[in-house]
């Protein structure tokens, strides 16, 4: 296995003058970017297919598919926070406590803001926010993929992310799309050496999900590598790295002050069964399965490990590689409900870059049916999972 070494990523293609006149959007702190219509259309098609599968399956089973998107599991907690603020908790029959302080504040704050200025209720506002964020995430993923491996790979990468096995969550009032959008654009900002912008986006990501720790690590390690390579600290690089953890840290401090304990946030997470145990719970879960299921799960984990190896062999840029590996590790070392782990890994879109590059090398008439089959399988799986009893 070859080792990944820090190196300057290839320069992004310069848009043509004609493209500059029609189809570019200028983002603060970044060069003008062509709107990747093919990538966004392909991504939207995967999600429309998922919603269609959900609608048909719900009609056939007599269930309410729309309610599954905006009114169950974590979405209910976000809506409650948006409507009433923090302070709600549930005591379980075994004495355990589920407190709403486990949920980071940016998404419910946006739900509240949108429902305040529009006729939408908080639940519907959350759904629209998630859908809008999914398009922003798709564009950001394309930007990273195109920068690293070319526009064609960027398009395929976006479609693969939309056809991820648990991609149905991208259509729910959950935080995965908002977090992935912020993470993708923060990583792209690092790749384009816009470190202050990357740090600012990471602040927002840190107010969205605890997984922002992976993004903080990526920005920090990239800053250290840049400083060592250039043999001098640059103010934007250092300030961006110092800015990055402020959102995450601010919420941890807020919970600590509110609860009167420095470890309060982690105690709240432990009440949900989400404490860090180094993978002990995962090992126990595997050994408690019937042997065919255990072998299948071990094969899935081996595939995950192989994808990480391929990311290293592909020589992905250091910040993307650190972020991807950190998201995977964080998702596996917690004691959380096992069924949620694929969802927790979904923001690690870098895992899909090696298969995206392989598919991009195929002829279009070969790649399109493969992507369509993956999208259909994801849509069917998502429909039956959403209409089931357990949370994603």
């Amino acid at each position: 296995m070859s080792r990944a070494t820090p190196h300057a990523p290839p320069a992004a293609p310069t848009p043509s003058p004609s493209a500059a006149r029609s189809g570019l959007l200028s983002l603060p702190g970044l060069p003008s970017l062509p709107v990747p219509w093919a990538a966004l259309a392909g991504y939207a098609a995967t999600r429309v297919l998922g919603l269609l599968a959900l609608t048909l399956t719900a009609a056939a089973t007599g269930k309410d598919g729309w309610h599954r998107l905006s009114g169950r599991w974590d979405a209910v907690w976000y809506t409650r926070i948006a409507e009433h603020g923090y302070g709600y908790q549930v005591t379980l029959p075994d004495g355990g406590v589920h407190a709403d302080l486990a949920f980071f504040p940016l998404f419910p704050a946006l739900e509240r803001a949108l429902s305040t200025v529009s006729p939408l209720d908080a639940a519907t506002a959350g759904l629209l926010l998630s859908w809008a964020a999914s398009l922003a995430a798709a564009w950001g993923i394309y930007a990273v993929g195109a920068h690293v491996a070319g526009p064609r790979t960027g398009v395929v990468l976006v479609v693969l992310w939309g056809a991820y096995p648990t991609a149905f969550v991208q259509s729910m009032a959950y935080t995965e799309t908002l977090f992935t959008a912020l993470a993708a654009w923060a990583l792209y900002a690092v790749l384009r050496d816009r470190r202050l912008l990357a740090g600012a986006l990471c602040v927002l990501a840190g107010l969205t999900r605890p997984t922002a720790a992976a993004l903080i690590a990526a920005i920090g390690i990239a800053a250290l590598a840049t400083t060592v390579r250039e043999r001098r600290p640059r103010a934007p690089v250092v300030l961006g790295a110092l800015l990055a953890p402020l959102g995450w840290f601010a919420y941890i401090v807020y919970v600590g002050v509110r609860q009167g304990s420095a470890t309060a946030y982690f105690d709240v997470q432990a009440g949900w069964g989400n404490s860090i145990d180094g993978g002990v719970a995962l090992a126990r879960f595997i050994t408690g399965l019937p042997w065919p299921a255990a072998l299948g799960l071990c094969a899935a984990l081996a595939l995950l490990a192989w994808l990480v190896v391929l990311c290293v062999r592909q020589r992905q840029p250091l910040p993307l590689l650190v972020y991807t590996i950190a998201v995977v590790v964080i998702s596996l070392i917690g004691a959380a409900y096992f069924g949620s782990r694929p969802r927790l890994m979904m923001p690690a879109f870098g895992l899909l870059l090696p298969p995206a590059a392989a598919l991009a090398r195929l002829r279009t008439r070969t790649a399109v049916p493969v992507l369509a089959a993956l999208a259909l399988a994801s849509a069917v799986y998502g429909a039956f999972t959403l209409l089931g009893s357990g949370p994603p």
Side-chain angles (χ1 to χ4, degrees), residues 161-185:
W161 189 69
Y164 186 85
T166 57
F168 60 88
V169 176
Q170 297 168 19
S171 297
M172 299 178 68
Y174 270 43
T175 58
E176 271 72 14
T177 56
L178 177 60
F179 175 76
T180 304
L182 293 167
W185 284 111

Side-chain angles (χ1 to χ4, degrees), residues 39-294:
L40 294 180
Y43 173 77
T46 65
R47 302 313 326 128
V48 169
L49 183 61
L51 292 174
L52 179 61
L54 175 63
T55 301
L56 295 176
T57 308
T61 57
K63 296 181 179 180
D64 184 353
W66 181 268
H67 179 68
R68 298 302 201 275
L69 297 176
S70 62
R72 293 191 73 190
W73 305 306
D74 291 6
V76 176
W77 288 87
Y78 288 119
T79 298
R80 184 183 293 276
I81 295 168
E83 293 176 340
H84 306 290
Y86 286 105
Y88 179 77
Q89 64 183 34
V90 175
T91 302
L92 306 180
D94 63 1
V97 176
H98 286 182
D100 58 9
L101 287 168
F103 298 92
F104 277 51
L106 182 58
F107 189 75
L110 293 175
E111 284 183 313
R112 184 181 184 89
L114 182 56
S115 62
T116 299
V117 301
S118 73
L120 302 174
D121 59 25
T124 305
L127 201 55
L128 291 183
L129 285 168
S130 179
W131 291 0
S134 73
L135 294 175
W139 190 358
I141 291 169
Y142 168 83
V144 173
H147 184 87
V148 173
R152 185 178 173 88
T153 298
V155 172
V156 176
L157 178 63
V158 169
V159 176
L160 282 179
W161 189 69
Y164 186 85
T166 57
F168 60 88
V169 176
Q170 297 168 19
S171 297
M172 299 178 68
Y174 270 43
T175 58
E176 271 72 14
T177 56
L178 177 60
F179 175 76
T180 304
L182 293 167
W185 284 111
L187 290 169
Y188 182 71
V190 173
L191 296 177
R192 298 304 303 259
D193 201 28
R194 304 298 194 268
R195 303 304 179 95
L196 284 175
L197 176 60
L201 290 170
C202 191
V203 170
L204 296 176
L207 292 170
T208 305
R209 290 190 64 81
T211 321
L215 186 60
I216 294 167
I219 292 175
I221 291 174
L224 178 61
T226 298
T227 301
V228 170
R229 185 174 65 247
E230 297 179 353
R231 298 183 179 179
R232 63 181 181 88
R234 277 194 286 127
V237 174
V238 175
L239 290 176
L242 293 176
L243 184 63
L246 293 186
W248 185 91
F249 185 69
Y251 185 65
I252 301 301
V253 170
Y254 166 78
V255 177
V257 171
R258 182 184 176 108
Q259 301 297 96
S261 168
T263 62
Y265 174 75
F266 305 100
D267 296 337
V268 169
Q269 286 287 2
W272 282 81
N274 291 340
S275 57
I276 300 297
D277 66 2
V280 173
L282 176 60
R284 287 176 177 168
F285 180 80
I286 293 173
T287 56
L289 293 173
W291 70 264

